[in-house]
Amino acid sequence: MPRHSVAMSTDKPRSLSGTRKGKLRYTLRGGFDFDTMGHARYHELRKFVKKGNDFCKELGNIMQERVELELHYAKTMSKLSAKLMKAAQKGIGSIQKAWLVIGKEMETDGQAHRCIANSLEDDIVKPLKNLQETHCRIKKTVECNVSKTKKCMNKWRTDERRSKKESFTVARENEKVQDMTSDASYSILTSNANLAKDATKLENKKRKLEESVKKSYTEYYTYCVRTARA
């Protein structure tokens, strides 16, 4: 087997980069990385949609100019045809009838361009205009909903950080009391009445702190879930 084939067969499948892993990972500490993942992609989508909207608007303006040009051409041809037929009717000679036919053909040509203008306006200009107006209404509604959702998510994110800080403070205080209770339990073995009384107080304080820790953990978890759903 050639060397390059062996090298290809022994290559390990490529894994996700650290940056990409960070975007896809969700942890209790930080939540989804919305700023680098959802926020950037949302603005990319907005730019893409805006380009399409601008293109439809520009295309509609161009076709509207084409409609106006066709109507102007038809109107001008109609005027020239009327002048030519009027002049041919007053003329004399063997080519009088030929000029009358040419005048009628000019009128027919003008009517054809008028039909083209009407078709362009009905089949292209108006549908594009309606499409753009409908798109703008939908776009405005969606952006409004996204803005509300983002505000809601930011609120939950703020509550999540606050709850995290409170949970950390309570847990640290609980650890201190746990260590003090352990020392007090050792001192009780020495049959010291004062130390036994202090140990009882610490036990009560420890139970209260344990309840506070459970409550703070539950609250923090709830805010994390709400933030992730938002």
Side-chain angles (χ1 to χ4, degrees):
M1 184 181 295
R3 291 183 179 179
H4 65 274
S5 299
V6 175
M8 291 177 62
S9 62
T10 56
D11 286 343
K12 296 181 179 179
R14 289 187 295 178
S15 60
L16 294 172
S17 63
T19 305
R20 192 175 179 186
K21 285 181 179 179
K23 291 180 179 180
L24 298 177
R25 184 172 59 246
Y26 176 79
T27 62
L28 290 177
R29 293 183 299 171
F32 284 116
D33 197 354
F34 179 78
D35 292 336
T36 58
M37 187 176 179
H39 190 70
R41 292 181 182 178
Y42 172 67
H43 281 284
E44 288 177 2
L45 178 61
R46 286 187 63 188
K47 290 180 182 178
F48 182 78
V49 171
K50 186 177 183 301
K51 287 181 180 180
N53 190 27
D54 292 342
F55 173 74
C56 287
K57 184 177 180 180
E58 184 177 2
L59 183 60
N61 293 335
I62 292 173
M63 298 309 298
Q64 181 63 37
E65 291 180 7
R66 172 69 186 275
V67 169
E68 294 174 358
L69 179 63
E70 294 289 347
L71 290 175
H72 178 71
Y73 181 80
K75 185 177 181 181
T76 304
M77 288 294 290
S78 180
K79 288 181 179 180
L80 292 177
S81 173
K83 289 181 180 180
L84 179 59
M85 293 181 68
K86 183 177 181 181
Q89 288 175 357
K90 296 178 181 179
I92 57 175
S94 59
I95 61 172
Q96 180 184 5
K97 292 184 179 179
W99 284 115
L100 289 173
V101 172
I102 293 173
K104 292 180 179 178
E105 289 182 352
M106 291 174 65
E107 178 65 24
T108 303
D109 189 20
Q111 290 293 337
H113 282 274
R114 186 175 286 106
C115 291
I116 292 174
N118 294 332
S119 297
L120 289 174
E121 187 173 11
D122 294 337
D123 298 338
I124 296 179
V125 176
K126 288 183 179 179
L128 278 175
K129 186 178 180 180
N130 294 333
L131 176 63
Q132 184 183 3
E133 291 177 354
T134 303
H135 175 267
C136 287
R137 287 196 301 268
I138 296 174
K139 179 173 174 286
K140 185 176 180 180
T141 303
V142 171
E143 289 181 349
C144 182
N145 292 335
V146 171
S147 179
K148 291 180 180 178
T149 303
K150 185 179 178 181
K151 289 181 180 179
C152 180
M153 191 200 69
N154 290 335
K155 177 182 179 300
W156 293 128
R157 181 68 61 82
T158 302
D159 293 338
E160 176 188 339
R161 294 194 182 103
R162 176 185 56 77
S163 178
K164 174 185 175 182
K165 184 177 180 180
E166 292 177 357
S167 178
F168 176 78
T169 303
V170 172
R172 184 172 58 182
E173 184 68 21
N174 182 52
E175 290 177 357
K176 292 181 180 179
V177 173
Q178 291 284 355
D179 293 338
M180 294 173 64
T181 304
S182 177
D183 295 339
S185 299
Y186 174 78
S187 301
I188 289 174
L189 298 177
T190 60
S191 300
N192 190 317
N194 292 330
L195 290 177
K197 185 177 180 180
D198 293 339
T200 303
K201 292 181 180 179
L202 287 174
E203 284 291 339
N204 295 333
K205 186 176 181 181
K206 184 183 74 172
R207 282 193 293 269
K208 292 181 180 179
L209 283 173
E210 287 175 350
E211 293 177 358
S212 298
V213 168
K214 292 179 181 179
K215 183 179 179 181
S216 62
Y217 280 174
T218 303
E219 182 181 3
Y220 179 46
Y221 174 78
T222 301
Y223 286 131
C224 288
V225 172
R226 290 176 179 176
T227 303
R229 288 175 179 173

